[in-house]
mmCIF file of all heavy atoms in Angstrom:
data_model
loop_
_atom_site.group_PDB
_atom_site.id
_atom_site.type_symbol
_atom_site.label_atom_id
_atom_site.label_comp_id
_atom_site.label_asym_id
_atom_site.label_seq_id
_atom_site.Cartn_x
_atom_site.Cartn_y
_atom_site.Cartn_z
ATOM 1 N N LYS S 1266 205.166 121.979 124.424
ATOM 2 C CA LYS S 1266 204.169 120.997 123.887
ATOM 3 C C LYS S 1266 203.057 120.535 124.904
ATOM 4 O O LYS S 1266 203.442 120.455 126.194
ATOM 5 C CB LYS S 1266 204.901 119.787 123.383
ATOM 6 C CG LYS S 1266 205.837 120.080 122.073
ATOM 7 C CD LYS S 1266 205.039 120.448 120.845
ATOM 8 C CE LYS S 1266 206.043 120.698 119.694
ATOM 9 N NZ LYS S 1266 206.926 119.539 119.279
ATOM 10 N N ASN S 1267 201.890 120.446 124.399
ATOM 11 C CA ASN S 1267 200.877 120.166 125.461
ATOM 12 C C ASN S 1267 200.501 118.723 125.605
ATOM 13 O O ASN S 1267 199.378 118.310 126.007
ATOM 14 C CB ASN S 1267 199.609 120.969 125.067
ATOM 15 C CG ASN S 1267 198.990 120.475 123.622
ATOM 16 O OD1 ASN S 1267 199.661 119.549 123.038
ATOM 17 N ND2 ASN S 1267 197.984 121.030 123.246
ATOM 18 N N PHE S 1268 201.433 117.814 125.333
ATOM 19 C CA PHE S 1268 201.268 116.401 125.596
ATOM 20 C C PHE S 1268 202.377 115.813 126.310
ATOM 21 O O PHE S 1268 203.513 116.318 126.255
ATOM 22 C CB PHE S 1268 200.898 115.635 124.353
ATOM 23 C CG PHE S 1268 202.026 115.647 123.225
ATOM 24 C CD1 PHE S 1268 202.942 114.674 123.344
ATOM 25 C CD2 PHE S 1268 202.023 116.634 122.323
ATOM 26 C CE1 PHE S 1268 204.043 114.791 122.348
ATOM 27 C CE2 PHE S 1268 202.994 116.644 121.363
ATOM 28 C CZ PHE S 1268 203.981 115.716 121.399
ATOM 29 N N ARG S 1269 202.308 114.661 127.043
ATOM 30 C CA ARG S 1269 203.168 113.992 127.745
ATOM 31 C C ARG S 1269 203.207 112.447 127.631
ATOM 32 O O ARG S 1269 202.255 111.967 126.881
ATOM 33 C CB ARG S 1269 203.176 114.286 129.285
ATOM 34 C CG ARG S 1269 203.351 115.734 129.534
ATOM 35 C CD ARG S 1269 204.714 116.316 129.307
ATOM 36 N NE ARG S 1269 204.809 117.623 129.792
ATOM 37 C CZ ARG S 1269 204.717 118.663 129.098
ATOM 38 N NH1 ARG S 1269 204.352 118.427 127.752
ATOM 39 N NH2 ARG S 1269 204.848 119.903 129.465
ATOM 40 N N PHE S 1270 204.285 111.779 127.906
ATOM 41 C CA PHE S 1270 204.348 110.346 127.836
ATOM 42 C C PHE S 1270 204.372 109.757 129.257
ATOM 43 O O PHE S 1270 204.957 110.377 130.139
ATOM 44 C CB PHE S 1270 205.618 109.885 127.193
ATOM 45 C CG PHE S 1270 205.543 110.188 125.655
ATOM 46 C CD1 PHE S 1270 205.880 111.364 125.062
ATOM 47 C CD2 PHE S 1270 205.220 109.019 124.848
ATOM 48 C CE1 PHE S 1270 205.853 111.514 123.691
ATOM 49 C CE2 PHE S 1270 205.034 109.356 123.352
ATOM 50 C CZ PHE S 1270 205.435 110.501 122.828
ATOM 51 N N ASN S 1271 203.842 108.537 129.422
ATOM 52 C CA ASN S 1271 203.930 107.593 130.498
ATOM 53 C C ASN S 1271 204.738 106.404 130.099
ATOM 54 O O ASN S 1271 204.654 106.012 128.956
ATOM 55 C CB ASN S 1271 202.616 107.179 131.099
ATOM 56 C CG ASN S 1271 202.069 108.309 132.002
ATOM 57 O OD1 ASN S 1271 202.611 109.292 132.317
ATOM 58 N ND2 ASN S 1271 200.697 108.067 132.215
ATOM 59 N N LEU S 1272 205.395 105.864 131.161
ATOM 60 C CA LEU S 1272 206.174 104.615 130.803
ATOM 61 C C LEU S 1272 205.339 103.430 131.232
ATOM 62 O O LEU S 1272 204.563 103.446 132.276
ATOM 63 C CB LEU S 1272 207.425 104.586 131.756
ATOM 64 C CG LEU S 1272 208.361 103.392 131.402
ATOM 65 C CD1 LEU S 1272 209.252 103.626 130.265
ATOM 66 C CD2 LEU S 1272 209.428 103.189 132.691
ATOM 67 N N ILE S 1273 205.320 102.377 130.498
ATOM 68 C CA ILE S 1273 204.608 101.163 130.792
ATOM 69 C C ILE S 1273 205.544 100.605 131.779
ATOM 70 O O ILE S 1273 206.612 100.065 131.572
ATOM 71 C CB ILE S 1273 204.400 100.268 129.603
ATOM 72 C CG1 ILE S 1273 203.567 100.816 128.548
ATOM 73 C CG2 ILE S 1273 203.812 98.807 129.990
ATOM 74 C CD1 ILE S 1273 203.372 100.020 127.267
ATOM 75 N N SER S 1274 204.991 100.542 133.095
ATOM 76 C CA SER S 1274 205.825 100.168 134.255
ATOM 77 C C SER S 1274 205.779 98.692 134.544
ATOM 78 O O SER S 1274 206.672 98.045 135.175
ATOM 79 C CB SER S 1274 205.530 100.934 135.418
ATOM 80 O OG SER S 1274 204.150 100.862 135.777
ATOM 81 N N ASN S 1275 204.720 97.953 134.148
ATOM 82 C CA ASN S 1275 204.531 96.493 134.347
ATOM 83 C C ASN S 1275 205.097 95.835 133.271
ATOM 84 O O ASN S 1275 205.233 96.266 132.009
ATOM 85 C CB ASN S 1275 203.059 96.146 134.620
ATOM 86 C CG ASN S 1275 202.194 96.550 133.424
ATOM 87 O OD1 ASN S 1275 202.091 97.657 133.176
ATOM 88 N ND2 ASN S 1275 201.739 95.574 132.723
ATOM 89 N N LEU S 1276 205.554 94.480 133.569
ATOM 90 C CA LEU S 1276 206.113 93.612 132.375
ATOM 91 C C LEU S 1276 204.931 93.140 131.674
ATOM 92 O O LEU S 1276 204.004 92.523 132.142
ATOM 93 C CB LEU S 1276 206.990 92.641 133.050
ATOM 94 C CG LEU S 1276 208.100 93.008 133.951
ATOM 95 C CD1 LEU S 1276 208.851 91.806 134.392
ATOM 96 C CD2 LEU S 1276 209.039 93.974 133.211
ATOM 97 N N LEU S 1277 205.105 93.235 130.328
ATOM 98 C CA LEU S 1277 203.977 92.698 129.313
ATOM 99 C C LEU S 1277 204.170 91.268 128.909
ATOM 100 O O LEU S 1277 203.557 90.809 128.017
ATOM 101 C CB LEU S 1277 204.038 93.585 128.011
ATOM 102 C CG LEU S 1277 203.647 95.040 128.267
ATOM 103 C CD1 LEU S 1277 203.675 95.768 126.892
ATOM 104 C CD2 LEU S 1277 202.254 95.236 128.874
ATOM 105 N N SER S 1278 204.783 90.433 129.821
ATOM 106 C CA SER S 1278 204.926 89.020 129.484
ATOM 107 C C SER S 1278 205.460 88.308 130.757
ATOM 108 O O SER S 1278 206.283 88.683 131.607
ATOM 109 C CB SER S 1278 205.976 88.798 128.372
ATOM 110 O OG SER S 1278 206.260 87.442 128.220
ATOM 111 N N GLU S 1279 204.921 87.098 130.916
ATOM 112 C CA GLU S 1279 205.405 86.221 131.990
ATOM 113 C C GLU S 1279 206.632 85.560 131.709
ATOM 114 O O GLU S 1279 207.349 85.041 132.553
ATOM 115 C CB GLU S 1279 204.349 85.083 132.258
ATOM 116 C CG GLU S 1279 203.016 85.655 132.769
ATOM 117 C CD GLU S 1279 202.049 84.595 133.081
ATOM 118 O OE1 GLU S 1279 202.318 83.370 132.586
ATOM 119 O OE2 GLU S 1279 200.974 84.760 133.674
ATOM 120 N N ASN S 1280 207.139 85.738 130.387
ATOM 121 C CA ASN S 1280 208.404 85.117 129.932
ATOM 122 C C ASN S 1280 209.667 86.094 129.941
ATOM 123 O O ASN S 1280 210.611 85.736 129.490
ATOM 124 C CB ASN S 1280 208.321 84.488 128.576
ATOM 125 C CG ASN S 1280 207.201 83.339 128.427
ATOM 126 O OD1 ASN S 1280 206.975 82.545 129.338
ATOM 127 N ND2 ASN S 1280 206.404 83.492 127.510
ATOM 128 N N PHE S 1281 209.346 87.230 130.538
ATOM 129 C CA PHE S 1281 210.337 88.313 130.415
ATOM 130 C C PHE S 1281 211.648 87.828 131.083
ATOM 131 O O PHE S 1281 211.637 87.369 132.216
ATOM 132 C CB PHE S 1281 209.682 89.484 131.214
ATOM 133 C CG PHE S 1281 210.031 90.797 130.496
ATOM 134 C CD1 PHE S 1281 209.054 91.511 129.906
ATOM 135 C CD2 PHE S 1281 211.443 91.328 130.501
ATOM 136 C CE1 PHE S 1281 209.358 92.740 129.248
ATOM 137 C CE2 PHE S 1281 211.587 92.612 129.988
ATOM 138 C CZ PHE S 1281 210.689 93.202 129.226
ATOM 139 N N GLU S 1282 212.843 88.007 130.446
ATOM 140 C CA GLU S 1282 214.002 87.874 131.004
ATOM 141 C C GLU S 1282 214.972 89.020 130.471
ATOM 142 O O GLU S 1282 214.991 89.181 129.309
ATOM 143 C CB GLU S 1282 214.736 86.432 130.578
ATOM 144 C CG GLU S 1282 214.073 85.402 131.325
ATOM 145 C CD GLU S 1282 214.682 84.090 131.118
ATOM 146 O OE1 GLU S 1282 215.362 83.832 130.052
ATOM 147 O OE2 GLU S 1282 214.584 83.181 132.065
ATOM 148 N N PHE S 1283 215.744 89.606 131.384
ATOM 149 C CA PHE S 1283 216.654 90.783 130.994
ATOM 150 C C PHE S 1283 218.080 90.231 131.102
ATOM 151 O O PHE S 1283 218.496 90.027 132.368
ATOM 152 C CB PHE S 1283 216.305 91.894 131.824
ATOM 153 C CG PHE S 1283 217.339 93.073 131.594
ATOM 154 C CD1 PHE S 1283 217.399 93.682 130.324
ATOM 155 C CD2 PHE S 1283 218.078 93.479 132.680
ATOM 156 C CE1 PHE S 1283 218.351 94.714 130.185
ATOM 157 C CE2 PHE S 1283 218.986 94.510 132.472
ATOM 158 C CZ PHE S 1283 219.062 95.133 131.308
ATOM 159 N N TYR S 1284 218.658 89.994 130.071
ATOM 160 C CA TYR S 1284 220.195 89.253 130.204
ATOM 161 C C TYR S 1284 221.185 90.400 130.511
ATOM 162 O O TYR S 1284 221.277 91.391 129.748
ATOM 163 C CB TYR S 1284 220.421 88.619 128.964
ATOM 164 C CG TYR S 1284 219.647 87.296 128.823
ATOM 165 C CD1 TYR S 1284 218.327 87.331 128.206
ATOM 166 C CD2 TYR S 1284 220.114 86.141 129.348
ATOM 167 C CE1 TYR S 1284 217.523 86.147 128.158
ATOM 168 C CE2 TYR S 1284 219.367 84.943 129.325
ATOM 169 C CZ TYR S 1284 218.146 85.019 128.657
ATOM 170 O OH TYR S 1284 217.364 83.856 128.560
ATOM 171 N N GLN S 1285 222.080 90.229 131.472
ATOM 172 C CA GLN S 1285 223.120 90.991 131.732
ATOM 173 C C GLN S 1285 224.454 90.176 131.639
ATOM 174 O O GLN S 1285 224.904 89.535 132.609
ATOM 175 C CB GLN S 1285 223.115 91.676 133.169
ATOM 176 C CG GLN S 1285 221.855 92.612 133.316
ATOM 177 C CD GLN S 1285 222.422 93.961 132.874
ATOM 178 O OE1 GLN S 1285 222.506 94.308 131.742
ATOM 179 N NE2 GLN S 1285 222.597 94.999 133.827
ATOM 180 N N ASN S 1286 225.006 89.942 130.397
ATOM 181 C CA ASN S 1286 226.150 89.123 130.160
ATOM 182 C C ASN S 1286 227.403 90.063 130.207
ATOM 183 O O ASN S 1286 228.519 89.429 129.810
ATOM 184 C CB ASN S 1286 226.048 88.378 129.004
ATOM 185 C CG ASN S 1286 224.766 87.481 128.929
ATOM 186 O OD1 ASN S 1286 224.274 87.078 130.095
ATOM 187 N ND2 ASN S 1286 224.315 87.055 127.834
ATOM 188 N N GLU S 1287 227.344 91.192 130.227
ATOM 189 C CA GLU S 1287 228.497 92.150 130.223
ATOM 190 C C GLU S 1287 229.544 91.886 131.200
ATOM 191 O O GLU S 1287 229.277 91.637 132.270
ATOM 192 C CB GLU S 1287 228.046 93.641 129.983
ATOM 193 C CG GLU S 1287 227.157 93.958 128.896
ATOM 194 C CD GLU S 1287 225.708 93.616 129.061
ATOM 195 O OE1 GLU S 1287 225.341 93.245 130.170
ATOM 196 O OE2 GLU S 1287 224.921 93.691 128.035
ATOM 197 N N ILE S 1288 230.753 92.347 130.793
ATOM 198 C CA ILE S 1288 231.909 92.253 131.706
ATOM 199 C C ILE S 1288 232.499 93.713 131.864
ATOM 200 O O ILE S 1288 233.468 93.867 132.324
ATOM 201 C CB ILE S 1288 233.052 91.416 131.206
ATOM 202 C CG1 ILE S 1288 233.581 91.659 129.816
ATOM 203 C CG2 ILE S 1288 232.584 89.890 131.253
ATOM 204 C CD1 ILE S 1288 234.833 91.161 129.404
ATOM 205 N N GLY S 1289 231.549 94.650 131.594
ATOM 206 C CA GLY S 1289 232.020 96.068 131.706
ATOM 207 C C GLY S 1289 232.098 96.641 130.280
ATOM 208 O O GLY S 1289 231.936 95.941 129.257
ATOM 209 N N TRP S 1290 232.466 97.919 130.231
ATOM 210 C CA TRP S 1290 232.268 98.574 128.882
ATOM 211 C C TRP S 1290 233.659 99.387 128.569
ATOM 212 O O TRP S 1290 234.225 99.098 127.586
ATOM 213 C CB TRP S 1290 231.077 99.474 129.024
ATOM 214 C CG TRP S 1290 231.051 100.662 128.051
ATOM 215 C CD1 TRP S 1290 230.846 100.286 126.699
ATOM 216 C CD2 TRP S 1290 231.041 102.038 128.126
ATOM 217 N NE1 TRP S 1290 230.864 101.454 125.938
ATOM 218 C CE2 TRP S 1290 230.879 102.540 126.852
ATOM 219 C CE3 TRP S 1290 231.193 102.911 129.214
ATOM 220 C CZ2 TRP S 1290 231.043 103.920 126.620
ATOM 221 C CZ3 TRP S 1290 231.188 104.208 129.003
ATOM 222 C CH2 TRP S 1290 231.039 104.739 127.624
ATOM 223 N N SER S 1291 234.076 100.304 129.497
ATOM 224 C CA SER S 1291 235.212 101.015 129.156
ATOM 225 C C SER S 1291 236.055 101.170 130.344
ATOM 226 O O SER S 1291 235.551 101.107 131.550
ATOM 227 C CB SER S 1291 234.926 102.495 128.533
ATOM 228 O OG SER S 1291 234.411 102.363 127.285
ATOM 229 N N GLY S 1292 237.364 101.412 130.283
ATOM 230 C CA GLY S 1292 238.183 101.437 131.381
ATOM 231 C C GLY S 1292 239.348 102.394 131.148
ATOM 232 O O GLY S 1292 239.788 102.952 130.016
ATOM 233 N N VAL S 1293 240.000 102.888 132.147
ATOM 234 C CA VAL S 1293 241.177 103.793 132.140
ATOM 235 C C VAL S 1293 242.451 103.100 132.252
ATOM 236 O O VAL S 1293 242.625 102.357 133.150
ATOM 237 C CB VAL S 1293 240.977 104.950 133.330
ATOM 238 C CG1 VAL S 1293 242.360 105.780 133.216
ATOM 239 C CG2 VAL S 1293 239.811 105.847 132.986
ATOM 240 N N PHE S 1294 243.361 103.294 131.269
ATOM 241 C CA PHE S 1294 244.678 102.800 131.267
ATOM 242 C C PHE S 1294 245.691 103.820 131.614
ATOM 243 O O PHE S 1294 245.543 104.968 131.210
ATOM 244 C CB PHE S 1294 244.994 102.286 129.884
ATOM 245 C CG PHE S 1294 244.245 101.037 129.602
ATOM 246 C CD1 PHE S 1294 242.925 100.996 128.928
ATOM 247 C CD2 PHE S 1294 244.740 99.645 129.780
ATOM 248 C CE1 PHE S 1294 242.140 99.957 128.583
ATOM 249 C CE2 PHE S 1294 243.964 98.589 129.380
ATOM 250 C CZ PHE S 1294 242.743 98.657 128.902
ATOM 251 N N ILE S 1295 246.648 103.484 132.417
ATOM 252 C CA ILE S 1295 247.810 104.335 132.754
ATOM 253 C C ILE S 1295 249.033 104.027 131.825
ATOM 254 O O ILE S 1295 249.542 102.822 132.103
ATOM 255 C CB ILE S 1295 248.084 104.294 134.335
ATOM 256 C CG1 ILE S 1295 246.894 104.555 135.042
ATOM 257 C CG2 ILE S 1295 249.206 105.099 134.638
ATOM 258 C CD1 ILE S 1295 247.150 104.174 136.577
ATOM 259 N N THR S 1296 249.300 104.845 131.177
ATOM 260 C CA THR S 1296 250.357 104.538 129.980
ATOM 261 C C THR S 1296 251.853 104.676 130.495
ATOM 262 O O THR S 1296 251.957 105.476 131.651
ATOM 263 C CB THR S 1296 250.214 105.287 128.777
ATOM 264 O OG1 THR S 1296 250.757 106.550 128.933
ATOM 265 C CG2 THR S 1296 248.906 105.216 128.178
ATOM 266 N N LYS S 1297 252.751 104.062 129.999
ATOM 267 C CA LYS S 1297 254.190 104.276 130.554
ATOM 268 C C LYS S 1297 254.627 105.778 130.126
ATOM 269 O O LYS S 1297 255.763 106.039 130.583
ATOM 270 C CB LYS S 1297 255.120 103.290 129.778
ATOM 271 C CG LYS S 1297 254.870 101.754 130.141
ATOM 272 C CD LYS S 1297 255.390 101.683 131.705
ATOM 273 C CE LYS S 1297 255.193 100.268 132.310
ATOM 274 N NZ LYS S 1297 256.224 99.507 131.797
#
Side-chain angles (χ1 to χ4, degrees):
K1266 295 288 179 64
N1267 61 357
F1268 60 89
R1269 297 292 184 268
F1270 283 86
N1271 278 350
L1272 187 74
I1273 299 176
S1274 57
N1275 58 295
L1276 303 181
L1277 294 179
S1278 170
E1279 295 180 352
N1280 300 317
F1281 221 106
E1282 286 189 333
F1283 174 64
Y1284 288 89
Q1285 290 278 73
N1286 299 339
E1287 294 80 6
I1288 57 168
W1290 168 59
S1291 285
V1293 172
F1294 292 84
I1295 303 171
T1296 76
K1297 288 295 180 75

